[in-house]
Amino acid sequence: GAAATFASGERPPDKQTAFADWKVREGQAFEEAFEKNRNELKDKKNDMKDALTAANNAKRLIDNAKEKLARKQADKGPEAGRDEELIDEEEYALIKSLRETKQQYRESFERHRAIKVDVVQIEHLMTACKTKLVQSFEEWYDQKYGHVARHQAEAEAKAVTGERYDPQEMFDMMEADRLETQHPDALAYHKARKNAARDVRQRGKAATTVRGGR
């Protein structure tokens, strides 16, 4: 929205307080998208946990069935040979159970893998959503209150020094504020240049005063 108008001396609101208010108004769409992703992530993680538990249970059943089958086959002795007709009902049931349990394990493992991919994607979406939310708030705050903060800084500088700034000095202050925010490395040079220019002006004023006093 348009920048708000503030009375002289009024301060911009605390950013944390403004952010809480903004999230339920201008930022509601971002907040709703973030909450939707967070709830979906919670459900997916529960599903992933269930799939992993099912895969582990199937693995235990496979190990047990293999052990029973090995004992059953060992009990038959070497004279049994490889004749399939000697497979009794119990051994057949063990082989059938082992085959089915292996299939359950593969399905559970694949389900866990697929859900894990979904979880990573949702986490990326949440990170992007959070970044966009913060950026949108910062843009909104600067548009609405940035000029107030800058005026506040200028007023406080005047109160401390007791000086009145000419238009060039005022421009220097605003430019320094911009540099500090966007290009911190350039600020030192800018300040040195500004101080040198002010010294020249002050020496000029002092010389005029001396000549006028004679």
Side-chain angles (χ1 to χ4, degrees):
T5 302
F6 284 79
S8 178
E10 188 168 354
R11 293 175 177 272
D14 173 69
K15 256 193 176 182
Q16 190 170 352
T17 303
F19 184 60
D21 293 339
W22 178 85
K23 283 201 299 182
V24 299
R25 294 198 304 269
E26 291 87 348
Q28 186 175 5
F30 295 108
E31 184 72 1
E32 287 176 354
F34 185 80
E35 283 300 318
K36 180 183 177 183
N37 287 331
R38 182 157 60 182
N39 290 333
E40 187 176 355
L41 180 64
K42 182 180 178 181
D43 292 341
K44 287 288 184 181
K45 283 189 172 181
N46 287 335
D47 291 344
M48 189 169 71
K49 183 179 178 182
D50 291 343
L52 184 60
T53 299
N56 287 336
N57 288 340
K59 184 67 170 61
R60 280 194 293 271
L61 291 174
I62 289 170
D63 292 342
N64 290 336
K66 281 183 176 179
E67 186 180 346
K68 288 180 180 178
L69 188 59
R71 283 203 305 265
K72 179 70 178 175
Q73 291 172 343
D75 289 345
K76 290 193 300 185
E79 67 277 2
R82 297 181 179 275
D83 192 344
E84 291 184 359
E85 293 181 0
L86 294 177
I87 296 177
D88 59 22
E89 187 176 341
E90 183 183 359
E91 188 174 352
Y92 175 78
L94 283 170
I95 293 172
K96 184 172 182 290
S97 174
L98 183 60
R99 186 181 300 118
E100 291 172 350
T101 306
K102 283 182 176 180
Q103 180 62 27
Q104 292 172 7
Y105 172 78
R106 283 192 293 268
E107 290 174 356
S108 297
F109 185 83
E110 176 58 28
R111 182 164 171 261
H112 177 268
R113 188 198 64 77
I115 296 172
K116 190 172 184 179
V117 172
D118 290 342
V119 165
V120 171
Q121 289 176 341
I122 294 171
E123 287 175 340
H124 286 166
L125 281 175
M126 289 179 69
T127 300
C129 184
K130 189 185 295 185
T131 301
K132 183 65 177 173
L133 182 145
V134 172
Q135 287 176 345
S136 297
F137 167 72
E138 291 289 350
E139 290 170 3
W140 172 86
Y141 188 91
D142 185 66
Q143 185 180 11
K144 193 164 187 178
Y145 303 118
H147 68 294
V148 182
R150 286 187 285 273
H151 291 167
Q152 177 73 29
E154 291 162 9
E156 288 176 355
K158 285 183 182 180
V160 170
T161 61
E163 295 184 53
R164 291 183 62 85
Y165 295 104
D166 61 35
Q168 180 59 43
E169 289 172 328
M170 186 64 73
F171 174 80
D172 286 342
M173 289 182 62
M174 293 175 68
E175 184 69 6
D177 180 66
R178 184 184 71 80
L179 287 170
E180 188 170 16
T181 302
Q182 299 176 8
H183 307 287
D185 293 340
L187 184 58
Y189 166 75
H190 174 82
K191 283 184 175 179
R193 189 185 65 179
K194 183 187 70 173
N195 291 337
R198 179 177 292 184
D199 289 344
V200 170
R201 287 196 297 271
Q202 288 177 346
R203 282 198 296 272
K205 290 176 184 177
T208 303
T209 302
V210 171
R211 286 197 297 273
R214 288 179 180 173

